[in-house]
Amino acid sequence: MSEQTEASPIVKTPAQAPQDIMIVGGGPVGATLALALLHKGYDVTLLEARAQGAAHQDQRALALSYGSILILERLGLWDALKPKATAINTIHVSQRGSLGRSVLKAEEHDQPALGYVLSYGDLTAALDTALQDNAKIRLQYEAEASAIIPGADLAHVEYRQHEMAMTASAKVVVLADGGRSLGEIPGLQRETKHYGHDALVSKVVCELPHDNIAYERFTPAGPVALLPNGPRDFSLVWTGKSEEIQPLLTMEDEAFLQALHAHFGDRVGRFLKVGKRLSFPLKLSYLQTVTAPHLVVIGNAAQTMHPVAGQGFNVGMRDAWELAQILAETPLAQWGSDTMLQAYQADRKNDTRKGLMFTDFLVNVFSNDTVGLNKIRGLGLGLLDIVPIAKRRLVDKMSFGPRG
Ligand SMILES: Cc1cc2nc3c(=O)[nH]c(=O)nc-3n(C[C@H](O)[C@H](O)[C@H](O)COP(=O)(O)OP(=O)(O)OC[C@H]3O[C@@H](n4cnc5c(N)ncnc54)[C@H](O)[C@@H]3O)c2cc1C
């Protein structure tokens, strides 16, 4: 039975037969989970609000940790992606106004690279192609969920696709919408702290070659990062108070390049060229619990962090990977049960909380000019540089999370 009114062109369709698993959101995290489950032989339904291929030109630069690379390797994607990615072989951390600095090098940590920079578009294109090649996926584009309702035996999803209102149910519904759409879900409580800061992202060309070095520079206004991206370019992430960042978006290129040079310093020479500039607001946001009956929330939908240490995206990739392992270890009849959901919560809590605390700590400690703190921070960076065990722990945690 269907109905159509003049006010709403939406047509209602009958509910579909319950599925084993339904993923809402086919960004990098949702698509990684889908592919990991397909590799294990499960049938998967994936709802994605965007049109097919709509994200493939997205140039935003993701800094993939070595642990995320291992996940992509296991999914059989990395060989094709590697030529499109730029290795980070060295990370140089410094703060404006002090000599203390720390340098992390891949060769000191038995890793081929500390991480790689890859565009969001290239990653999602590779994931989408791999999903489409698998007969066990039910991939629905332009399908936008409007509500998720946890239930005693199943979770239910209401969504719209091509002017049709649909409902579907699954033993496990996974929300991976990037935190962009479904804010309020019964039983889930979100904590949010707005930093009042924005991140400006763009590509820049500098006078000196990048030599596969990523720079993280702390300033009282907020951290600024340059990530090697392509043969000559850097991806820029410039954070600061919203009222200071917003005027930078519309500034003439030449004035912007000079402002960046004044802000970042001379380590990569002059800045010669800048691409399109975008910004997004920075916040720390997380769910107190990431599960409700028959529902799991992963990726940015579960936790959004400041980009200061490049943690958020990588924690999301680990969410997807670990959830696939837990589902595979759980008999199908118990998918979505309390036991399964608690196992997932317990597995991920440590990693997520540490990521949130670490990034928040860095922002709080480094983004101010409190008298005396500058010296202590400089000393801290200097100490980190000369204590190999501290460096190793930092690199392991940033690469692999709590299992590092
Ligand atoms: C503007 C912007 C710039 C960024 N730049 C950087 C950067 O330079 N470097 C970096 O490391 N990180 C950056 N980030 C963060 C990074 O994009 C996230 O960490 C990462 O994308 C999280 O992946 P995800 O799959 O959890 O969510 P997303 O990538 O947000 O994917 C969510 C997916 O769900 C779909 N969706 C949303 N709502 C619904 C719905 N109701 N129904 C069905 N599908 C839905 C969306 O279309 C999307 O495909 C940026 C974020 C933003 C917003």
Side-chain angles (χ1 to χ4, degrees), residues 48 90 122 137 147 170 198 214 221 243 249 259 266 284 297 331 348 362 367-368:
E48 168 52 50
T90 302
D122 284 339
I137 186 89
D198 290 347
E243 59 270 26
L249 291 168
D266 211 28
L284 174 144
V297 187
R348 297 302 304 140
L362 288 178
S367 302
N368 61 66

Side-chain angles (χ1 to χ4, degrees), residues 25 27-29 48-50 60-61 120 143 145 176-178 180-181 280 300:
V29 172
E48 168 52 50
R50 282 192 284 231
R60 105 179 57 148
Y120 187 97
D177 72 339
R180 301 205 214 176
S181 54
F280 61 100
N300 259 36

Side-chain angles (χ1 to χ4, degrees), residues 66-310:
Y66 189 55
S68 293
I69 302 301
L70 293 181
I71 292 174
L72 294 172
E73 248 174 36
R74 288 174 193 147
L75 295 175
L77 299 183
W78 183 240
D79 283 350
L81 280 173
K82 193 173 175 188
K84 297 176 179 158
T86 308
I88 299 175
N89 295 337
T90 302
I91 301 177
H92 186 286
V93 188
S94 62
Q95 73 164 337
R96 202 165 71 193
S98 90
L99 293 175
R101 58 113 177 92
S102 189
V103 180
L104 309 171
K105 291 188 173 177
E107 74 241 26
E108 289 169 5
H109 300 279
D110 309 323
Q111 290 181 194
L114 292 171
Y116 285 83
V117 178
L118 182 66
S119 80
Y120 187 97
D122 284 339
L123 177 58
T124 42
L127 284 160
D128 288 354
T129 306
L131 290 176
Q132 280 152 13
D133 285 349
N134 195 301
K136 289 175 90 65
I137 186 89
R138 193 157 162 247
L139 191 48
Q140 295 182 245
Y141 289 106
E142 298 175 67
E144 182 165 5
S146 50
I148 295 181
I149 304 129
D153 303 314
L154 299 162
H156 311 279
V157 181
E158 294 174 0
Y159 65 102
R160 287 177 182 195
Q161 189 180 29
H162 309 309
E163 304 301 320
M164 309 252 266
M166 327 272 250
T167 54
S169 307
K171 285 184 190 143
V172 180
V173 169
V174 180
L175 178 60
D177 72 339
R180 301 205 214 176
S181 54
L182 297 174
E184 296 291 313
I185 299 206
L188 297 183
Q189 196 192 331
R190 185 174 292 282
E191 306 291 338
T192 302
K193 167 174 162 183
H194 294 280
Y195 289 111
H197 283 206
D198 290 347
L200 178 153
V201 290
S202 188
K203 267 191 171 184
V204 290
V205 180
C206 309
E207 205 175 359
L208 303 178
H210 59 57
D211 290 333
N212 298 90
I213 303 173
Y215 295 91
E216 176 100 43
R217 187 153 176 78
F218 291 97
T219 79
V224 53
L226 287 175
L227 307 173
N229 188 358
R232 196 75 184 101
D233 294 357
F234 277 105
S235 275
L236 166 71
V237 186
W238 181 347
T239 72
K241 284 188 186 141
S242 305
E243 59 270 26
E244 286 163 9
I245 292 293
Q246 288 310 309
L248 297 169
L249 291 168
T250 47
M251 215 176 234
E252 292 292 326
D253 285 4
E254 198 46 48
F256 177 83
L257 293 167
Q258 281 179 22
L260 179 57
H261 190 225
H263 188 65
F264 184 80
D266 211 28
R267 204 165 289 279
V268 290
R270 282 178 306 125
F271 290 90
L272 305 176
K273 243 164 100 181
V274 59
K276 193 173 160 198
R277 283 161 259 166
L278 298 171
S279 77
F280 61 100
L282 297 177
K283 62 181 178 184
L284 174 144
S285 167
Y286 61 94
L287 292 172
Q288 282 289 1
T289 51
V290 293
T291 65
H294 296 272
L295 171 67
V296 184
V297 187
I298 64 172
N300 259 36
Q303 64 274 321
T304 303
M305 303 174 194
H306 193 288
V308 59

